[in-house]
Amino acid sequence: MVLSFDLKDFIIRARVLKLYRQALRTARRAPEQAGAELRQTMREEMEKHRDCNDKQKIRYLISEGLERLKRLNEMLDMQGHS
């Protein structure tokens, strides 16, 4: 099956992948056990919304993910994980 993307779909997909990569990098900063749990949770969240085609919902999920990632980074910074 060949997927057809218009420019907006391509940009949204790129933003989702960028968010996922950023989240994985942040999880590396966490202690080992917590990092493994974070990666698992991140993957589950991505898989849960994998088939979402509603662009407005996807944009909302991206902004929600960025906000959660920002809070996680702040928490790791306060705990001294670099």
Side-chain angles (χ1 to χ4, degrees):
M1 179 168 104
V2 176
L3 297 176
S4 174
F5 292 119
D6 64 6
L7 182 58
K8 289 181 183 179
D9 290 334
F10 182 80
I11 291 169
I12 289 174
R13 183 175 188 274
R15 289 182 64 204
V16 169
L17 292 173
K18 180 179 178 182
L19 172 62
Y20 189 58
R21 284 190 302 269
Q22 288 174 329
L24 290 176
R25 283 188 205 106
T26 299
R28 276 193 241 143
R29 294 179 49 211
E32 190 173 328
Q33 181 61 33
E37 290 178 30
L38 281 170
R39 283 188 297 278
Q40 181 64 30
T41 301
M42 292 169 191
R43 183 178 179 93
E44 288 170 1
E45 285 292 315
M46 290 296 206
E47 288 292 329
K48 182 168 67 172
H49 300 290
R50 174 181 219 140
D51 296 323
C52 181
N53 293 319
D54 181 354
K55 288 181 178 132
Q56 185 173 358
K57 182 176 181 180
I58 294 170
R59 283 192 287 273
Y60 168 77
L61 290 167
I62 290 169
S63 65
E64 181 70 21
L66 288 169
E67 204 46 49
R68 290 169 70 180
L69 190 57
K70 179 181 172 186
R71 288 193 307 266
L72 178 59
N73 272 312
E74 289 170 355
M75 183 184 73
L76 289 170
D77 287 343
M78 287 185 345
Q79 292 178 351
H81 299 286
S82 53

